Amino acid sequence: MVCEKKIVDEVSGWLRVFDDGSVDRTWTGPPEVEFMAQPVPPHDNFVEGVATRDALVSADSDLRVRIYLPENNEAMDLDRLPVVLHFHGGGFCISQADWFMYYYIYTRLARKARAVIVSVYLPLAPEHRLPAACDVSYSTLLWLRSLASGDSHEPWLSHYADFNRVFLIGDSSGGNIVHEVAARAGNEDLSPLRLAGAIPIHPGFVRSERSKSEMEKPESPFLTLDMVDKFLSLALPVGSTKDHPITCPMGYGTLWIEDSKLPPFLLCMAGDDLIWDTEMEYYEAMKKGKKEVELLISAGMGHSFYLNKIAVDMDPNTASETEKLILGITEFISKH
């Protein structure tokens, strides 16, 4: 007799967890948006000014990255290019570095910022609960250090990258990883690599208690209260709450942040983000902790709006705010 698996947890459209511990991430939402969650094959040739390739960081752990290389511009690229280490979003539970939604936006950033972007294929929860994604992300930063010192070799990075200007960037939960990796890096000698800056975009900083913005601001395609609650319940260490330091670094007091050695930060927020209040609480904690932090606000926009290709194409305001976001990030990279 064959026993049919039963769903024990589900995040609508995105993920189903079964009673045998298996996970199905087949998209079951509206078919017209499925293309944004489809993988884009790497291409060594330049397409609209950017080439991509996948590289193996560690054969032992199957750690891989997707690399975006902008086409050489002799008038602009007089030196090597800055490196932007990217951590994708998805509540630690879904999405991949090669999804179209990331390909679409990070090819744009590579072109605009004249930067090599290295996007990490993160381990996903609940199979790999936190801090697994943070550990892999930090290991990738240490791999960049080994490339900078010549102990490892990756053709594109070894030839084009300026390891004296390495930045961290992350979308949503990837923004949480940005803070965690930056804090860990402050305790390590990364030379000859220099961590020049960190850019959390709409980071998933929350508290166990609902904030006013969670109760009052509108839900968006990329963030609902159900997603916040269920993804984090599947991702955080067993027995932990949202007040865990990865999801609530501002909850451990000003001294905890003040004692962390952090690079300059550009915190990107969206005016209609459900988790606006706790993101702003993080910003205030960084300021009180005497950290160098700038704020870039996208007025009238929801969580991760810039990843929604349909909205960017159809709504002039979303398109305009996406362009401003890319420009603001580019300017931050250029001055550091």
Side-chain angles (χ1 to χ4, degrees):
M1 180 178 177
V2 177
C3 294
E4 186 174 336
K5 294 193 296 184
K6 295 181 180 179
I7 295 176
V8 294
D9 217 337
E10 182 174 14
V11 182
S12 181
W14 294 106
L15 172 149
R16 288 146 302 286
V17 181
F18 296 93
D19 55 359
D20 66 352
S22 62
V23 181
D24 180 12
R25 294 183 175 86
T26 304
W27 173 251
T28 59
E32 62 270 20
V33 302
E34 184 179 6
F35 75 95
M36 290 190 286
Q38 292 297 308
V40 178
H43 48 84
D44 285 345
N45 57 310
F46 289 97
V47 177
E48 297 184 349
V50 178
T52 64
R53 71 186 304 264
D54 287 342
L56 187 65
V57 174
S58 169
D60 294 336
S61 62
D62 195 33
L63 171 54
R64 297 179 300 132
V65 295
R66 166 66 57 96
I67 304 173
Y68 298 81
L69 177 68
E71 194 165 11
N72 181 56
N73 185 325
E74 293 183 2
M76 299 176 67
D77 301 335
L78 302 178
D79 300 306
R80 288 172 171 253
L81 304 175
V83 179
V84 179
L85 181 58
H86 170 243
F87 313 122
H88 64 72
F92 308 107
C93 292
I94 60 168
S95 80
Q96 293 287 344
D98 59 3
W99 276 15
F100 177 81
M101 67 173 69
Y102 302 114
Y103 175 86
Y104 150 73
I105 204 70
Y106 283 98
T107 49
R108 287 183 64 178
L109 182 61
R111 284 194 302 269
K112 186 71 173 179
R114 308 302 307 160
V116 184
I117 295 175
V118 180
S119 185
V120 184
Y121 286 89
L122 297 172
L124 302 177
E127 302 96 320
H128 306 282
R129 287 180 176 263
L130 292 170
C134 299
D135 294 343
V136 163
S137 299
Y138 188 63
S139 294
T140 307
L141 179 63
L142 297 182
W143 174 66
L144 292 180
R145 181 182 65 179
S146 74
L147 292 174
S149 64
D151 294 332
S152 300
H153 181 79
E154 197 292 317
W156 285 5
L157 291 168
S158 297
H159 184 75
Y160 295 105
D162 179 1
F163 293 106
N164 194 49
R165 297 178 65 212
V166 174
F167 297 82
L168 309 176
I169 195 169
D171 321 280
S172 190
S173 57
N176 301 56
I177 298 175
V178 165
H179 180 92
E180 176 70 13
V181 170
R184 293 189 191 186
N187 297 319
E188 181 113 18
D189 179 11
L190 293 177
S191 60
L193 179 148
R194 181 177 73 96
L195 189 57
I199 310 165
I201 310 176
H202 312 168
F205 296 137
V206 292
R207 284 185 176 274
S208 293
E209 185 178 342
R210 284 267 191 259
S211 67
K212 184 179 179 182
S213 63
E214 283 179 295
M215 293 186 289
E216 295 182 357
K217 289 189 179 290
E219 296 184 326
S220 71
F222 288 137
L223 193 66
T224 65
L225 293 177
D226 185 59
M227 292 168 70
V228 171
D229 294 343
K230 289 187 176 178
F231 279 152
L232 293 186
S233 72
L234 294 170
L236 286 165
V238 174
S240 297
T241 71
K242 294 176 189 172
D243 297 318
H244 188 279
I246 293 176
T247 46
C248 188
M250 65 283 185
Y252 286 75
T254 301
L255 285 177
W256 190 76
I257 288 181
E258 188 173 341
D259 289 344
S260 298
K261 183 180 178 182
L262 299 174
F265 266 63
L266 174 66
L267 173 61
C268 303
M269 295 176 56
D272 281 342
D273 199 331
L274 269 182
I275 52 177
W276 167 276
D277 287 354
T278 35
E279 289 175 339
M280 184 57 72
E281 185 186 355
Y282 170 78
Y283 172 72
E284 295 295 342
M286 290 281 281
K287 295 292 285 186
K288 289 178 182 177
K290 301 180 177 63
K291 298 308 172 189
E292 183 179 341
V293 55
E294 300 177 39
L295 195 58
L296 193 165
I297 297 175
S298 301
M301 295 290 110
H303 191 83
S304 298
F305 69 92
Y306 58 97
L307 296 177
N308 187 341
K309 180 69 161 55
I310 296 174
V312 172
D313 287 346
M314 297 184 65
D315 177 49
N317 288 335
T318 303
S320 175
E321 290 299 326
T322 298
E323 187 62 33
K324 290 177 186 176
L325 177 64
I326 292 173
L327 179 60
I329 294 170
T330 297
E331 290 175 348
F332 178 81
I333 292 172
S334 68
K335 68 183 180 184
H336 291 93

